[in-house]
Every structure is written in C-alpha cells, then in structure tokens.
Amino acid sequence: MILIRSLLLTASFMMSGILYCQSTVSFTLPVVTLMDIEPAGNITLNFIAPTEAGNALTNPTPDTTKWINYTSAITSGGLTRRITAAVNSNSILSSVNIRLQAAPASGAGGGTLGTPSGQVTLTTTPTTIISGIGGAYTGNGTNNGHRLTISLVPGTYANLLAQTNTTVTIVYTITE
C-alpha cells in the first residue's frame, strides 16, 4: 500500500512537472516621437474690407480644419513631451496677430495625452501649445488628436499695410 502511494505521489509530481512549462519572451519597445498635422494642405484666411467708411476690417472666420496627431513612447522615468508652434517670419507680425488654440484630445487615442495651453499669439519664438504628453497615441487623421483653431486679427492698425497672398508658415515641433 505504501509502495502504491509512493508510486502515485511520484507519478503525480512527474505529471505536474510535465504540465508546467516556462518560456522566456524578449521584446523591444523603442522610444517613439512622431507628430503630424492632418489633413495636409494650406489654409487661407482673408480679411474682409468694410463697406462703410469708419468701420474696421472684418476678421476672417477662424480655420478649424487642422488636427495634430502624435505617437509617443518615452523612456522609463523620462520627461513628458510638449508641442510648440512658431511662425517662420516676422514680416507681417507688426500688423496682424496669428492666434492658435489646440483643443483637448478627442477621437481614437489612448495613453497620457497632452494638455492644451489655451490660445496663444504666434511669434518666431516657439510657444508651447500642448504639454504633458507621455506614452500615448491620438489616432490618425482628422477627428483624432487635438483640433486646431487658427485665427487672424489685426494687431496694430497703424502698422497695417495692404498685402496680397502673403504666406506665413506655422512650424510645429514635438520635443521633451
């Protein structure tokens, strides 16, 4: 009887050893920093001339067609990321203000999405528009990420000069 118990106990241990197995999985998660503006293409903002003497210019309707999309994977204990915006030229900034505002993230993303800074007036010095981006993705394309509102308003009326087809580039940068 003792022999049968010993054999059953030994067989039981052997079976549990056979049923239990272990494998090692190795993987790599790279540091990722990607950002783009969707959809591609330019926007046009035009002031409307008054039709009555003494009235101010009518500001163009703000553009809300652009979205910031990003993917971010940071190192353990690494700094969060931020997105800045600046314009490439001071040529018209003394007469008009280009304003930009990022909305809170929406759409198909996940993770530690960034926090918008509120409306900023762009200059040639980069200004933070979204901060606190951790490991996250916003989803791709329009209706994913942070919707941008870009508006144009007169700066100093004394500096206004008539201009046609003046192009200003907004430069977006994602960094730690």
Side-chain angles (χ1 to χ4, degrees):
M1 185 76 148
I2 294 178
L3 182 59
I4 294 176
R5 272 193 201 168
S6 294
L7 285 174
L8 285 175
L9 190 57
T10 303
S12 168
F13 283 133
M14 289 176 69
M15 289 301 287
S16 69
I18 292 171
L19 296 176
Y20 174 77
C21 63
Q22 177 179 341
S23 63
T24 302
V25 177
S26 296
F27 67 92
T28 300
L29 176 60
V31 173
V32 178
T33 309
L34 298 170
M35 178 204 55
D36 69 358
I37 306 298
E38 298 283 349
N42 299 325
I43 63 170
T44 301
L45 299 173
N46 293 316
F47 286 101
I48 300 169
T51 56
E52 181 66 35
N55 288 339
L57 293 169
T58 300
N59 296 339
T61 301
D63 182 272
T64 58
T65 62
K66 300 296 183 183
W67 292 77
I68 290 184
N69 297 162
Y70 53 82
T71 301
S72 171
I74 59 177
T75 60
S76 177
L79 298 174
T80 58
R81 295 198 166 86
R82 63 190 174 103
I83 296 175
T84 62
V87 291
N88 68 332
S89 169
N90 269 332
S91 64
I92 66 162
L93 297 181
S94 63
S95 60
V96 298
N97 291 326
I98 301 170
R99 295 182 178 160
L100 186 141
Q101 183 168 2
S106 62
T112 305
L113 297 165
T115 303
S117 301
Q119 187 179 69
V120 299
T121 300
L122 298 177
T123 66
T124 55
T125 302
T127 302
T128 299
I129 60 169
I130 301 170
S131 61
I133 301 168
Y137 70 101
T138 59
N140 187 35
T142 58
N143 301 314
N144 290 301
H146 299 265
R147 180 189 291 259
L148 298 175
T149 299
I150 302 167
S151 57
L152 195 62
V153 297
T156 304
Y157 262 87
N159 295 334
L160 285 177
L161 299 171
Q163 299 180 37
T164 304
N165 294 325
T166 301
T167 301
V168 175
T169 301
I170 301 174
V171 179
Y172 300 91
T173 305
I174 186 169
T175 187
E176 289 184 339

